Amino acid sequence: MVKLLLSSRAFSTVAVTDAFFTLVAPVAKNSARIVIIVNSVSTGKNHPQMVALQQTVQQLGYAHVQLLDVLTDDWPH
């Protein structure tokens, strides 16, 4: 099953953070695949805030977290 949470501010509010945990709760942390889409910064996946967000989600215990730059990356199949 694919689920999508759209936020332009990541975990900036309690509501967004709660929505994230509700979205991923039914999936085991070691099997969940989380893709953070980057599309609005000139440095793309190398932007420090994007890297920090990826690391935060990994520190929450999710092993499969990737950044996807819609301007430069191939879409996963």
Side-chain angles (χ1 to χ4, degrees):
M1 176 187 295
V2 175
K3 298 179 181 182
L4 178 66
L5 173 66
L6 295 174
S7 170
S8 63
R9 301 283 182 225
F11 297 134
S12 63
T13 68
V14 173
V16 173
T17 303
D18 289 347
F20 170 78
F21 286 121
T22 299
L23 189 70
V24 298
V27 182
K29 288 183 177 183
N30 62 346
S31 65
R33 299 216 177 269
I34 298 173
V35 178
I36 300 170
I37 299 170
V38 180
N39 68 354
S40 63
V41 293
S42 61
T43 54
K45 296 187 301 189
N46 296 319
H47 192 282
Q49 289 178 326
M50 295 297 101
V51 173
L53 177 58
Q54 181 183 34
Q55 291 171 346
T56 296
V57 175
Q58 289 170 332
Q59 289 170 354
L60 291 170
Y62 296 94
H64 307 285
V65 183
Q66 74 179 81
L67 297 175
L68 174 72
D69 188 329
V70 297
L71 298 175
T72 62
D73 290 345
D74 290 332
W75 290 86
H77 304 329

